[in-house]
Amino acid sequence: MPFPRQGGKGAQRLLLFVLLLAAWKTGSGQVHYSVPEEAKHGTFVGRIAQDLGLELAELVPRLFRVVSKGRGDLLEVNLQNGILFVNSRIDREELCGLNLECSIHLEVIVDRPLQVFHVEVEVKDINDNPPVFRGREQRLFIPESRLVDSHFPIEGAADADIGTNALITYTLSPSDYFSLDVQASDELSKSLSLELRKSLDREETPELRLLLTATDGGKPELEGTVQLLITVLDVNDNAPLFAQAVYRIHLLETTANGTLVTTLNASDADEGVNGEIVFSFVSDVPLNIQKNFKIDSSSGEIRLIGRLDYEETKSYEIHVKAVDKGSPPMSNHCKVLVKVLDVNDNAPQLAVTSLSLPVREDTPLSTVIAFVSVSDRDSGVNGQVTCSLTPHIPFKLVSTFKNYYSLVLDSALDRESVSDYALVVTARDGGSPSLSATASVSVEVADVNDNAPAFAQAEYTVFVKENNPPGCHIFTVSARDADAQENALVSYSLVERRVGERALSSYVSVHAESGKVYALQPLDHEELELLQFQVSARDAGVPPLGSNVTLQVFVLDENDNAPALLPLPGAGGAGGAVSELVWRSVGAGHVVAKVRAVDADSGYNAWLSYELQPAAGGARSPFRVALYTGEISTTRSLDEADSPRQRLLVLVRDHGEPALTATATVLLSLVESGQAPKASSRVLAGAAGAETALVDVNVYLIIAICAVSSLLVLTLLLYVALRCWAPPSEGACGPAGKPTLVCSSAVGSWSYSQQRRQRVCSGEGPPKTDLMAFSPSLPQVPGSADERQQPSESEHLGKTSRPSDKSYEFRLTLRSHPNINN
């Protein structure tokens, strides 16, 4: 605010007081300046950047800007020196009317970080409006019969300024007949009248001209004048008299049209037409009074004919004239002061200015999202506005200055939970009943890469048949990312490792975009029964996030291996044929030989059956072969008619689709008692020993079956308990050890299967396997007690068997229950 250069110590003290006041305002969150109206362009207002604690060098980088609602560009800031100056003409009367307080509210906004300051610039009134009378001339008709000390009302002047600048004093030009009487009726106006000091004589002075001067209290003083033309009347010497000089009326702004405002009461001491009174508004009544009020000329009733609005006009000063019908007529004046009372008829007004949209989901708390300004044209409690926000989470409204609020972040955002918010700001005034207004604010939440791709399962089990074509699709992995756009763009890759001596990528590959897993080469069940690996999913965010999923690929067996005959140690005959000596004295059902075979496949593909090929010429052979054990036994007693050389062809067939076969040749030599060579004697001695040990073998077999059954039950119980209750522990992967004996069928055929057994394990817990067991059901041969005998395990591993031996093989298989995809 500029100050005069003169004044000495008093001016310096005033300047110090203003500076202290400005510093206090800054500390309290508001900077206060003042500027006189009508100041020239460029007039210094204040060092706003310095007072706000901002460096001049950071004004432009931080986007320093000033916002003035509805005030145009009255004030501006020089970004080079941080000075607030007058940019265009400021007219206090146009800006604030007759209000005593007049201020321009500015909002100063800077970014990086975002800060908001409130600046109030008070507009000081200067004496730029002189007192103004409604007309250039006022006419008064005064009868000559009026007594000394009579008063004659006249109209005063109005000044658009306020305070001292609007304090009007009146002076009257010198006159022998009249003096000026000023009465301060109330704060709205002063009542002026001419006081008669000397009796009038129309014949001596028919007309008087006086000059009324109105001077305001400004510096310099301004004045206005009006010519008073006084006509002295004769005869009708009694003017109408009002019961009151001033009528005071209070009306609500919602008063209905046609309502009676007041009834004027006036009387005239004359008789006849000289005492008949006609009421009317003065000739120069303002237009707004003519539009809102009317007066009945005979009764003096004033009624409301328009709509009152407190926000437009708070009071009306109505000048009424009462004129009698004398000749010449006589008149008198009174004032009707109508004060309009405020009613809560204006709802609050809301204005929302968005600053930081959309909002990142990692935005820190207390960040300002938008500004909200409210206003209400009503006054008092009717104009006191409070704001509320729905929903309350995760934002809140913070009052910054008077009717200004900031919408700030109150709790953390999560775009995956809520991607946008529809906020409603409600402004409600304090009237009764209260009025409200609402404004909608849409806040969109911008995505941040805070979610890694997630698979539906931590582990998948896939079944693939062996001998698959190269490049075949075996499975598709799919991971979902809760983020959006590039943060949710997922790519897939293998987690490389070694499988034996080879790299994992030589077996399988994964498509980076679709997640399809392909087998790059044919798989061999006999070489690799289980292939376990991990697929990684990564998003395209910065930084990228990822997760892994485990795939267990079980290679299913196909019947691609034919049965293979096992040679018997010590077996004679050429070309790998089995040669045996048979006594002619043996009876029916005697086991004379056994064919042994294995199949490299597993399951039904390794389940072998044996059948005897018909002899040449259709002759019926005295021998037969057991369907599942391969034991060759007699069907009847041998006699002299039987050929001493028997050649048997045994067909070994698996149960695959299609079935594969192998053929074994068995050469039997029939000999009489005493003709057997030493080797035969050893065979007979072994047979006799087998007869002696058969009972012991049966006992041992029963004990072994009971022990295996008990072990099976115990294993199942232990497995279930560990699966349900044991905490996760790190497992180990690797081969299970030696080849195992495999039960090929529940019917009772047993074969020796060369399989690699592997434990399926992961780093998150024990191997996930299930226990399956097959128990044999041996076929019964009528009349042969020897067929119920069981051989020892050593005979299954390739040792020479006695004619009465049978072989049994067991397999305990641990397998998981995955979903079969192929």
Side-chain angles (χ1 to χ4, degrees):
M1 180 178 72
F3 294 90
R5 298 181 178 271
Q6 58 184 359
K9 294 183 178 181
Q12 293 179 0
R13 291 176 181 176
L14 180 59
L15 177 60
L16 178 60
F17 174 78
V18 172
L19 292 176
L20 289 176
L21 179 61
W24 178 83
K25 288 289 187 178
T26 303
S28 62
Q30 177 186 359
V31 177
H32 183 90
Y33 299 111
S34 63
V35 64
E37 64 172 331
E38 305 294 343
K40 295 181 180 180
H41 173 78
T43 299
F44 173 86
V45 178
R47 299 185 182 276
I48 189 171
Q50 176 180 340
D51 295 339
L52 294 178
L54 301 175
E55 297 294 335
L56 294 180
E58 63 181 9
L59 297 185
V60 174
R62 294 187 64 186
L63 301 180
F64 181 96
R65 55 198 183 275
V66 176
V67 179
S68 175
K69 179 182 177 182
R71 303 304 184 191
D73 57 345
L74 300 179
L75 300 172
E76 190 59 63
V77 176
N78 188 332
L79 297 181
Q80 302 298 322
N81 54 24
I83 292 178
L84 180 66
F85 64 92
V86 176
N87 188 46
S88 59
R89 175 179 175 269
I90 302 176
D91 187 353
R92 194 206 66 81
E93 287 73 29
E94 179 183 350
L95 204 61
C96 303
L98 295 176
N99 293 331
L100 295 179
E101 295 181 1
C102 184
S103 298
I104 300 174
H105 296 283
L106 305 176
E107 287 182 2
V108 177
I109 303 174
V110 294
D111 293 337
R112 307 167 187 169
L114 179 63
Q115 290 181 285
V116 179
F117 305 93
H118 295 280
V119 179
E120 183 180 32
V121 180
E122 181 183 3
V123 180
K124 296 289 187 179
D125 181 53
I126 66 172
N127 192 27
D128 59 339
N129 291 282
V132 177
F133 291 93
R134 293 185 180 179
R136 295 182 178 180
E137 183 180 86
Q138 294 187 25
R139 296 183 66 87
L140 287 85
F141 296 91
I142 303 176
E144 60 179 348
S145 59
R146 295 300 295 269
L147 300 177
V148 177
D149 296 330
S150 296
H151 287 76
F152 306 97
I154 57 176
E155 295 180 31
D159 196 322
D161 295 320
I162 62 172
T164 306
N165 296 329
L167 186 61
I168 300 175
T169 58
Y170 297 90
T171 58
L172 186 65
S173 60
S175 172
D176 294 334
Y177 293 95
F178 295 97
S179 65
L180 183 64
D181 185 20
V182 180
Q183 298 290 331
S185 58
D186 63 355
E187 72 280 359
L188 293 177
S189 65
K190 294 180 179 180
S191 296
L192 304 180
S193 63
L194 293 178
E195 184 178 0
L196 184 62
R197 293 296 184 184
K198 181 180 178 182
S199 298
L200 296 174
D201 186 359
R202 188 194 65 82
E203 289 72 25
E204 180 182 350
T205 309
E207 187 178 85
L208 295 172
R209 289 185 179 271
L210 303 177
L211 183 65
L212 179 63
T213 303
T215 305
D216 62 22
K219 299 237 181 243
E221 297 177 345
L222 300 178
E223 64 181 23
T225 61
V226 64
Q227 191 76 30
L228 301 179
L229 180 59
I230 302 173
T231 302
V232 181
L233 302 176
D234 196 17
V235 184
N236 188 21
D237 55 354
N238 289 287
L241 295 176
F242 286 97
Q244 298 175 224
V246 178
Y247 292 81
R248 303 178 187 277
I249 308 298
H250 295 81
L251 293 179
L252 295 175
E253 62 176 325
T254 55
T255 301
N257 194 351
T259 300
L260 176 65
V261 177
T262 188
T263 301
L264 302 178
N265 186 13
S267 61
D268 196 312
D270 295 325
E271 293 181 351
V273 293
N274 290 332
E276 294 180 5
I277 300 174
V278 177
F279 298 94
S280 65
F281 295 140
V282 295
S283 59
D284 56 349
V285 64
L287 183 61
N288 64 335
I289 294 179
Q290 296 180 24
K291 291 173 58 178
N292 292 323
F293 302 94
K294 73 174 182 177
I295 186 170
D296 189 289
S297 61
S298 59
S299 65
E301 291 182 352
I302 299 178
R303 291 186 178 273
L304 181 65
I305 61 172
R307 176 180 174 274
L308 300 179
D309 189 352
Y310 173 85
E311 288 70 41
E312 292 183 1
T313 306
K314 295 176 175 56
S315 62
Y316 295 89
E317 183 176 325
I318 306 173
H319 292 266
V320 180
K321 179 173 64 174
V323 182
D324 61 23
K325 295 183 179 180
S327 181
M330 299 185 69
S331 66
N332 206 343
H333 295 76
C334 76
K335 284 194 294 187
V336 179
L337 299 179
V338 179
K339 189 172 184 179
V340 182
L341 302 180
D342 184 40
V343 174
N344 191 27
D345 59 345
N346 290 281
Q349 295 180 346
L350 276 170
V352 179
T353 304
S354 299
L355 298 178
S356 306
L357 295 178
V359 182
R360 287 170 56 91
E361 60 179 321
D362 60 351
T363 299
L365 302 184
S366 300
T367 299
V368 178
I369 307 301
F371 289 123
V372 179
S373 62
V374 296
S375 60
D376 195 314
R377 297 181 61 197
D378 295 320
S379 62
V381 294
N382 296 331
Q384 294 176 0
V385 182
T386 58
C387 277
S388 61
L389 178 69
T390 54
H392 298 288
I393 298 176
F395 302 95
K396 69 177 179 180
L397 282 177
V398 177
S399 178
T400 56
F401 174 73
K402 288 185 178 178
N403 290 333
Y404 293 90
Y405 295 84
S406 294
L407 178 65
V408 301
L409 184 62
D410 190 40
S411 59
L413 298 175
D414 184 7
R415 189 205 65 83
E416 289 70 42
S417 299
V418 182
S419 59
D420 59 82
Y421 293 87
L423 306 179
V424 177
V425 180
T426 303
R428 188 176 301 276
D429 61 28
S432 180
S434 64
L435 300 178
S436 63
T438 60
S440 298
V441 182
S442 180
V443 180
E444 180 183 355
V445 182
D447 184 52
V448 173
N449 190 28
D450 56 350
N451 289 277
F455 292 93
Q457 298 176 209
E459 182 178 280
Y460 291 94
T461 302
V462 183
F463 286 87
V464 180
K465 291 182 180 180
E466 65 174 332
N467 302 319
N468 57 282
C472 74
H473 171 236
I474 61 175
F475 192 69
T476 300
V477 294
S478 178
R480 179 182 177 276
D481 197 310
D483 293 321
Q485 298 177 354
E486 67 275 2
N487 294 332
L489 187 60
V490 180
S491 60
Y492 304 91
S493 62
L494 284 177
V495 178
E496 189 62 75
R497 71 177 186 87
R498 305 291 297 179
V499 180
E501 299 297 327
R502 302 171 60 182
L504 173 65
S505 56
S506 64
Y507 287 94
V508 292
S509 68
V510 60
H511 192 272
E513 296 179 0
S514 65
K516 291 185 177 181
V517 180
Y518 299 94
L520 300 180
Q521 62 181 14
L523 301 176
D524 188 355
H525 173 80
E526 288 73 37
E527 176 187 346
L528 182 66
E529 184 177 350
L530 171 63
L531 178 60
Q532 181 172 292
F533 58 92
Q534 286 187 325
V535 175
S536 174
R538 293 289 183 273
D539 59 29
V542 178
L545 301 177
S547 62
N548 296 342
V549 66
T550 300
L551 265 66
Q552 294 189 101
V553 179
F554 285 89
V555 182
L556 300 180
D557 182 57
E558 286 191 338
N559 193 27
D560 56 349
N561 290 281
L565 297 174
L566 295 177
L568 294 177
V578 177
S579 298
E580 293 288 346
L581 297 179
V582 181
W583 293 344
R584 287 184 179 272
S585 61
V586 298
H590 183 76
V591 177
V592 298
K594 183 174 183 177
V595 177
R596 298 176 181 274
V598 295
D599 197 310
D601 296 319
S602 63
Y604 278 83
N605 296 328
W607 178 17
L608 304 180
S609 62
Y610 304 84
E611 58 182 279
L612 193 63
Q613 295 292 89
R620 184 175 182 182
S621 173
F623 301 95
R624 67 177 179 181
V625 63
L627 180 60
Y628 298 112
T629 63
E631 293 179 341
I632 300 175
S633 61
T634 58
T635 59
R636 57 180 174 81
S637 300
L638 301 177
D639 52 27
E640 296 296 333
D642 294 322
S643 172
R645 299 283 292 177
Q646 296 284 337
R647 188 174 187 271
L648 305 179
L649 293 178
V650 179
L651 182 66
V652 182
R653 183 192 308 272
D654 60 26
H655 284 73
E657 291 292 340
L660 301 179
T661 61
T663 303
T665 302
V666 179
L667 301 177
L668 300 178
S669 299
L670 305 183
V671 297
E672 297 291 344
S673 299
Q675 294 181 357
K678 293 181 180 181
S680 297
S681 299
R682 288 194 304 267
V683 171
L684 292 178
E691 293 291 341
T692 305
L694 189 56
V695 177
D696 295 336
V697 171
N698 286 336
V699 173
Y700 295 150
L701 179 59
I702 293 173
I703 294 174
I705 291 175
C706 292
V708 170
S709 300
S710 300
L711 180 60
L712 174 62
V713 173
L714 181 60
T715 303
L716 287 174
L717 293 176
L718 182 60
Y719 170 76
V720 172
L722 290 176
R723 180 120 182 178
C724 295
W725 300 105
S729 60
E730 295 193 6
C733 297
K738 299 179 179 180
T740 60
L741 298 175
V742 179
C743 172
S744 301
S745 168
V747 180
S749 173
W750 302 83
S751 65
Y752 182 75
S753 175
Q754 300 288 342
Q755 294 186 342
R756 293 185 180 90
R757 305 301 301 152
Q758 294 184 352
R759 295 179 63 200
V760 182
C761 63
S762 67
E764 300 180 356
K768 300 179 180 179
T769 57
D770 293 335
L771 182 62
M772 297 186 297
F774 297 93
S775 60
S777 176
L778 302 179
Q780 298 294 328
V781 180
S784 176
D786 294 338
E787 285 198 28
R788 291 189 295 271
Q789 306 272 334
Q790 297 185 17
S792 63
E793 182 179 351
S794 60
E795 295 174 328
H796 294 284
L797 300 178
K799 295 182 180 180
T800 305
S801 65
R802 294 182 296 273
S804 60
D805 291 344
K806 294 188 177 78
S807 64
Y808 299 88
E809 297 180 359
F810 298 90
R811 179 179 66 174
L812 295 179
T813 304
L814 293 175
R815 290 190 182 276
S816 60
H817 288 287
N819 296 322
I820 299 178
N821 294 327
N822 288 15

